[in-house]
Amino acid sequence: IMPARVSKPAFNLRDKLTQLDGIVPYEKLPSGSTWLLNHTTSASRTNVSTNSTWTSLTGLQIDVTPRVTGSKLWVEFNFTMELHSAINGLHFRVHRQSPVGYDNVQVYLHSQHSHWSPSNAWTGPGTIYLTFMDEPNTPLGQVVRYYVQCFKEAGDNLYSNYGQDESGIQNLVWEIKQ
């Protein structure tokens, strides 16, 4: 009996990457991999002039198309607010639409802002950060839209991005593979 010799070909990473055209498909990346889906800025300004009514903030909207089924999305909205009269009870919420134009779902609510100034000497509330994790579970290729609304209980003339700075509004969405 003659022994058989079996040899395994050497693994060549360069050859494997060449087979992939240098691009690793998102579904082949390991769990925990993260990539930026979209980043937008806006110079828009919105006056939240009505009390006890939700007002959509112009420029605080972002559309993304997740690349992997079942992934999580880390959503960030960063913007400034300035008041011109005493306000009280300031609330923010974020809605998700998917498909766009349908299925409005509130995915985030932040109601812990209560800024007021009887003397009107203070023009806060300053910079607002809204950050949260979402699992939209949408079909691949379907666009997901996030947008921000503001509600004030009392007061006048509360502005988002009052100075209309070119990057006064920053919106980001990261995708995290599960």
Side-chain angles (χ1 to χ4, degrees):
I1 295 182
M2 195 159 151
R5 289 191 169 243
V6 177
S7 63
K8 181 178 172 185
F11 177 80
N12 187 325
L13 179 59
R14 189 176 311 260
D15 286 344
K16 293 292 182 190
L17 288 175
T18 301
Q19 291 171 10
L20 293 171
D21 292 329
I23 299 172
V24 177
Y26 291 102
E27 61 274 4
K28 299 269 186 192
L29 292 171
S31 294
S33 296
T34 304
W35 49 86
L36 180 65
L37 282 181
N38 199 3
H39 170 244
T40 63
T41 61
S42 177
S44 298
R45 173 175 58 195
T46 303
N47 182 3
V48 181
S49 59
T50 306
N51 294 328
S52 300
T53 302
W54 286 103
T55 302
S56 292
L57 301 177
T58 306
L60 284 151
Q61 172 184 304
I62 190 166
D63 293 348
V64 296
T65 305
R67 296 182 175 136
V68 177
T69 302
S71 60
K72 291 185 179 183
L73 302 182
W74 177 256
V75 183
E76 301 179 26
F77 292 99
N78 176 350
F79 56 101
T80 58
M81 299 294 291
E82 182 172 322
L83 65 89
H84 287 189
S85 183
I87 62 168
N88 191 25
L90 182 56
H91 312 268
F92 296 96
R93 71 182 179 188
V94 179
H95 276 257
R96 174 185 1 109
Q97 285 184 344
S98 189
V100 172
Y102 300 95
D103 297 336
N104 269 333
V105 176
Q106 180 178 304
V107 292
Y108 182 79
L109 176 65
H110 190 80
S111 292
Q112 297 186 13
H113 295 275
S114 186
H115 299 281
W116 48 272
S117 172
S119 66
N120 285 331
W122 180 57
T123 60
T127 300
I128 305 294
Y129 297 97
L130 305 177
T131 59
F132 61 96
M133 191 79 72
D134 188 33
E135 295 180 59
N137 293 317
T138 56
L140 281 181
Q142 185 167 299
V143 176
V144 178
R145 171 172 290 164
Y146 294 98
Y147 65 93
V148 177
Q149 293 183 319
C150 180
F151 175 97
K152 64 184 175 67
E153 296 170 8
D156 288 320
N157 297 324
L158 172 68
Y159 293 91
S160 64
N161 197 25
Y162 181 76
Q164 294 179 298
D165 299 323
E166 287 298 318
S167 59
I169 295 172
Q170 301 274 330
N171 309 306
L172 290 133
V173 178
W174 296 85
E175 185 169 8
I176 305 167
K177 184 177 179 202
Q178 298 306 294

